[in-house]
Amino acid sequence: MSFCTSILFFWHNVAHSGTLWHTMTQTMGRVIEIQRICQHCNITFIAKRTTTRYCSSTCSKRAYKKRKRDEKIKASNNETINIINQPLEQLKAKEFLSITDASRLLGISRRTIYRMIDRKELPIAKFGNRTILKRADIDNHFNKPLPIREKKEPKPVTEFYTVKEIEEIHHIKYGRLNTIIKNNNIPKTLYNVKLRVSKPHLDRYFKKVREDVSTITEWYSIAEAMEKHKLSRDQVYNRVHDNNIPKQRLGKYIRISKIHFDELFMIGV
């Protein structure tokens, strides 16, 4: 190959290399547009890289500060838990426990520990005025079978009301009495073809009803009861007191149960 030919070949390669370099720089210079969501402010933005996580340097700095703050909080919480659990771990390693130690170890009250001792469920030793338990006895308590409680038989009912006595004492009609007996499973029986109703069960029902006014929706003011039944104020108060009518105080005013007060006049009290 002649010298001139070599020079021409060299400059041809240089020109060709320049074209390739220009093409590569143009390709690399193209901007990549990727739609992403900022992991800090949740705003959609256009990123230039697939690894971009934040829409701006501000969000990036705020996310970093938040991440560091959360790490400090987590470390502080773990330290607190370790401090709280440290005495408990020390209790687990002790062979003998006081009543307070046993209470903290089991998470129950001191009174419960004393009741278990009174029932001879936990053996103890006395050292002066202090009561000491063995940790092994507490562990062995978990291996004991649970006691089976005997189901108590219900006591037979020996006292009964007649229907007339119920009407006189509780001032209700026979129809409502049947509803109360059915809805509350109150024991009843027949004696000489006459209905008898369990006295203790019915008394408990009316005591509960008189004390619980949450189910009462209709009320009289004293003035309304006086006007409706043509009574004086003293007569209204006397009937409320003598028949244990449910009442409710609103500020300085008293309301009385409408259904209970009206029943007095239905049965002629």
Side-chain angles (χ1 to χ4, degrees), residues 234-265:
D234 289 340
Q235 287 174 324
V236 172
Y237 278 117
N238 288 337
R239 280 173 168 78
V240 171
H241 179 269
D242 294 342
N243 299 283
N244 198 20
I245 300 297
K247 58 183 181 292
Q248 186 182 63
R249 179 175 289 277
L250 292 177
K252 63 180 181 179
Y253 299 103
I254 292 177
R255 302 193 306 175
I256 58 177
S257 170
K258 184 176 185 296
I259 184 172
H260 292 88
F261 196 75
D262 288 345
E263 280 179 351
L264 299 179
F265 297 91

Side-chain angles (χ1 to χ4, degrees), residues 47 51 61 136 153 194 199 242 246 255 263 266:
T51 56
K61 292 176 182 178
E153 294 293 333
K194 291 185 178 180
K199 183 178 184 298
D242 294 342
R255 302 193 306 175
E263 280 179 351
M266 293 179 186

Side-chain angles (χ1 to χ4, degrees), residues 137-153:
D137 292 331
I138 294 177
D139 292 340
N140 291 334
H141 188 73
F142 290 94
N143 299 325
K144 296 179 181 179
L146 292 175
I148 301 175
R149 294 185 179 181
E150 295 183 1
K151 192 174 181 179
K152 294 182 179 180
E153 294 293 333

Side-chain angles (χ1 to χ4, degrees), residues 189-196:
T189 186
L190 290 175
Y191 181 76
N192 291 337
V193 200
K194 291 185 178 180
L195 180 65
R196 298 286 191 274

Side-chain angles (χ1 to χ4, degrees), residues 84-124:
I84 294 172
N85 291 336
Q86 186 176 5
L88 190 61
E89 295 298 327
Q90 293 174 354
L91 287 178
K92 290 179 181 179
K94 293 175 69 172
E95 186 176 355
F96 300 98
L97 302 171
S98 66
I99 298 296
T100 302
D101 290 342
S103 172
R104 293 175 59 189
L105 181 64
L106 298 175
I108 58 180
S109 67
R110 287 164 49 90
R111 185 62 211 150
T112 301
I113 300 292
Y114 280 116
R115 281 198 293 265
M116 295 174 69
I117 294 171
D118 293 339
R119 294 194 298 263
K120 309 297 182 184
E121 295 177 7
L122 287 175
I124 62 169

